[in-house]
Amino acid sequence: MAGDITCGSLLQKLQLIWDEVGESEEDRDKVLYQLDQECLDVYKRKVDQATNSRDLLIQALDDSKIELARLLSALGEKAVARTPEKTMGTIKQQLAAIAPTLEQLTKQKNERKREFVNVQSQIDQICGEIAGTIEVGEQVAMPQVNEDDLTLERLEDFRSQLQVLEKEKSNRLEKVLEYVSMVHDLCTVLGMDFLSTVTEVHPSLDDSIGDNCKSISNDTLSKLDKTVATLNEDKKLRLSKLQELAGQLYDLWDLMDAPKEERRMFDHVTCNRSSSVDEVTAPGSLALDLIEQAEVEVQRLDQLKYSKMKEIAFKKQTELEDIYAGAHIVIDTAAAHEKILALIEAGNIEPSELIADMDGQIAKAKEEALSRKDILDKVERWMSACEEESWLEDYNRDDNRYNSSRGAHLNLKRAEKARILVNKIPALVETLVAKTRAWEESRGLSFMYDGVPLLAMLDEYVMLRQEREEEKKRMREQKRYIEQQLNTDHEGPFGSRVSPNRPASSKKATGPKLNGSVSNGTPPNRRLSISGQQNGSGHGVRSGGKDSKKDTAKTASPRNNSAASAPVAAPTVATANEDVASHVSGTDPVPGTP
C-alpha cells in the first residue's frame, strides 16, 4: 500500500536492487548523496515558503502598527491610551487585536477631515474674495487637507485664522463703504455722475446691491483709493484753477475799474477764492461748466486789456535784457523792441502767447546764465588779478615806494597781496581755459564774453604776457652785459676787454599758447586794445603795429567797461622797454613779474 511506503523501505529496496545489479560502493555512495541533497532542497523550499508567509504577516502587523501610529499622530491622540493591550501571542492574534482600534481611529480621522474641509473652505472663500479671484458668494473648490496633521491644535489654528479673516472682511467692507461715501461727496462737489463713476470701479458697488455682496478685493480697494485720489486731485486742481481765474478776474476788474454789479454776477466763482480744499463742500461748486464760465469771462476781459499789452511786453523784455547783460551776452535790444512792437500792432499773436513766449525766453536766459556763472566768476577773478598786476607794475616803477610817506605801509601790504594774487594768474587762466573748452564742447558753441570769444581773449593775454616776460629777460641780460663791460673797463691794462660794440644776446624762449599753437618770436610790442578804455571807443580794436618805446610799460586789465552791446576784446599789454631801460641805467634789479 502506498501508506506503507517510507523512506526506509524504499532505501532497502534500493539496496536489494544494487546487490542484484552489483553496483560498487562508490556508485552507491554517490546516489545516496544525491538523495540527501534532493531531500534537503525540498525542506529548504518548504522552510522558505513558511518564512515568506510569516514575513507577510509580520509586514501586515507592522503596517497596522504604522497606520495606528500615523493615525494617532495625525489626530494628536496619546499612543498609550489608543494602543491595544494585547501585544503578545501569535502574529495573527496581534493582528486581530489591533484591527478594531484602527477602524475607530479611521472613522475619527474622516470626521476630523470634514471639519478641516469646512474651515479651510471658508478661509479659501474669504481669501479669494480679498484677492479678487472669486466673486462674493461664489463656491470655491474642495481644499486640499493635509491628512498627516489633523490635530485639534491645528484645527483651532485654522479657526483662529478664519476669525481673523472674517474680521478683515468686515473691516474691508467698512472701508469700501467709506470709500463709496467719499466718492459720492466728491462727485457731488465736482458735478459728476456718481453711479457711473462708482460702478466703473466694480459693478457690485451700486446702491441697489446689498452691503454683504459688495466686492472687498484688493483690486477694488486699490481702484477706489485711486478714484478717491484722482477725484481729490481733480478737486484740488479745479479749486486752484477757479481761484486762479478769480484772481485774474479781480486783477482785470481792478485794472478796468469794473462796477460792483458786474462783479456780483461772479460771486459764485469768487466766493471760494481763499477757501481750502476741505472747506469747499457745496454741490456743484467746482463743476466744469462753472470753471468754463469763469474762463470765458477772463478771456473777454483779456481782450479789453489788449492796450496794456505793450507795457507788459516791454517790461518782460527789460527783465530779459538785464539777465543777458549780467551774463555778458550781447543781444540786439533795438531789434527785439521793434519785433515786439510789430507783433502787438499787427495782432498776429495772442497776448497770452506773447507773454508765455517771453517767459520761456526769460527761463532759458536764466538757465544759460546759470551755466555760465562758474566761468564768469573766474573771469571776474582773472580781471581783478590783472588789475592788481597792473597796479603792481606801477608800484614797482615808483622809486619812492619805500619812502616813509603817509600810506606807504598800506601800499606795501597791498603789494604783497598783489604778488600772491598775480602768481595765481597762470593757474587761474589754465583752469578758465579748461572750463571754457568743456562748456563749448558740451554745447557746440563758442563762449562769447560781451561779443568776443573768451578763448581768444585768454590766448591773446597769455601770448602778450609771455612776450613781456621774454622782453624783461632780454633787458636783464642786456643790463648784465653792460655791467660786465663796465667791470672790464676798470680792470686795467692786464685784463682783457670786451668790445663795447658787441651785441647783447636777446634770445627769446618759446612757449605754448592756450589754443595749442606756439608763440615763437612774437614781437613784444603787440597790443590788444580794450573797448571803452582807449579814446572812448565803443568797440574793441586789436592792433598789430609797433608802438613807440615811449609808451608806458603797463599790463592793462582785461575788464571791459563798455556797453553790453559792444564786443569785448582781450586785455591790452604794452611793452616794458622804457621801464626796463630805466632800470638798466640805474642800480636796482629789474623786478620779476609775479
Side-chain angles (χ1 to χ4, degrees), residues 197-307:
T197 302
V198 77
T199 53
E200 185 178 352
V201 176
H202 197 276
S204 65
L205 301 180
D206 189 357
D207 290 338
S208 60
I209 299 177
D211 293 344
N212 292 329
C213 296
K214 295 189 182 300
S215 173
I216 59 169
S217 66
N218 292 328
D219 184 61
T220 300
L221 283 172
S222 177
K223 287 183 178 180
L224 282 172
D225 184 70
K226 290 180 180 178
T227 302
V228 171
T230 302
L231 293 175
N232 277 321
E233 185 65 22
D234 288 345
K235 181 181 180 182
K236 181 179 179 182
L237 292 176
R238 290 190 188 185
L239 179 60
S240 177
K241 181 66 176 177
L242 196 65
Q243 289 176 342
E244 180 183 355
L245 292 172
Q248 293 177 8
L249 286 174
Y250 271 103
D251 293 339
L252 293 169
W253 287 336
D254 294 340
L255 179 65
M256 292 176 285
D257 196 17
K260 293 182 179 180
E261 293 76 11
E262 182 179 347
R263 301 189 183 195
R264 289 197 191 97
M265 295 173 59
F266 290 90
D267 284 344
H268 57 292
V269 175
T270 58
C271 63
N272 293 320
R273 182 184 181 187
S274 59
S275 301
S276 64
V277 177
D278 297 333
E279 292 174 348
V280 181
T281 56
S285 56
L286 296 178
L288 285 177
D289 56 351
L290 185 65
I291 296 176
E292 292 175 358
Q293 182 184 359
E295 287 177 342
V296 171
E297 180 64 14
V298 169
Q299 291 176 1
R300 185 185 71 82
L301 294 176
D302 267 338
Q303 294 177 357
L304 296 179
K305 70 154 192 175
Y306 198 87
S307 58

Side-chain angles (χ1 to χ4, degrees), residues 61 65 83-91 93-95 97-98:
L61 181 60
K65 290 180 178 180
T83 302
E85 297 179 357
K86 189 173 182 179
T87 58
M88 302 300 290
T90 64
I91 297 174
Q93 289 175 346
Q94 293 182 40
L95 280 172
I98 204 173

